[in-house]
């Protein structure tokens, strides 16, 4: 029969692996939940942006369609395109910041960094 301390010493690596696996599985579940939450928030943000842009597009199209002066119509189209590019740039920056925040929180969690 083997002494108890020999069994304990030989089982220590096995227990260490089990503990590491449990921590890894817990982290995987957390990362999955964080990514799912990010996807939901991003989809919601983008849906709001698309709704707001559709409204702005309809108003701009109405102004252009009602315009009877070709020079004014050209100016309206130019202004519309400038506003569209600015809105898309702002939205891209907002989505990038949201993604960067999730990545930073995930990195901290994975490395055990506090802060």
């Amino acid at each position: 029969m083997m002494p108890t301390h020999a069994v304990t010493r030989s089982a220590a690596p096995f227990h260490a692996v089990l503990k590491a696996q449990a921590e890894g599985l817990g982290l995987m579940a957390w990362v999955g939940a964080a990514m799912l939450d990010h996807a939901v928030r991003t989809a919601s943000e983008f849906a709001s942006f698309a709704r707001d842009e559709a409204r702005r597009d309809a108003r701009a199209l109405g102004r252009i369609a009602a315009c009877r002066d070709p020079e004014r119509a050209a100016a309206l189209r130019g202004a519309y395109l400038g506003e569209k590019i600015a809105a898309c740039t702002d939205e891209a920056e907002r989505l990038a910041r949201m993604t960067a925040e999730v990545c930073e929180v995930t990195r901290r969690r994975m490395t055990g960094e506090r802060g």
Side-chain angles (χ1 to χ4, degrees):
M1 185 176 207
M2 289 181 58
T4 307
H5 62 74
V7 172
T8 304
R9 271 188 288 165
S10 65
F14 177 71
H15 290 293
V17 168
L18 285 178
K19 181 180 178 201
Q21 283 180 331
E23 289 171 359
L25 290 174
L27 182 60
M28 285 178 13
W30 181 88
V31 168
M35 292 299 125
L36 182 60
D37 177 66
H38 175 62
V40 168
R41 289 185 303 116
T42 300
S44 177
E45 173 67 30
F46 194 71
S48 295
F49 172 75
R51 180 198 62 227
D52 294 344
E53 283 303 296
R55 287 179 182 154
R56 279 192 284 263
D57 291 350
R59 284 193 300 269
L61 184 57
R63 285 192 301 272
I64 292 169
C67 184
R68 299 295 175 234
D69 177 18
E71 289 178 21
R72 176 79 177 127
L76 287 171
R77 283 192 299 270
Y80 164 76
L81 289 175
E83 291 169 6
K84 177 61 81 175
I85 290 169
C88 289
T89 300
D90 290 347
E91 183 65 11
E93 289 173 353
R94 186 175 5 272
L95 293 172
R97 278 192 306 275
M98 289 171 62
T99 300
E101 286 175 17
V102 168
C103 291
E104 181 61 18
V105 169
T106 301
R107 183 192 65 76
R108 285 184 186 150
R109 176 79 187 255
M110 291 177 71
T111 60
E113 182 180 317
R114 302 284 183 222

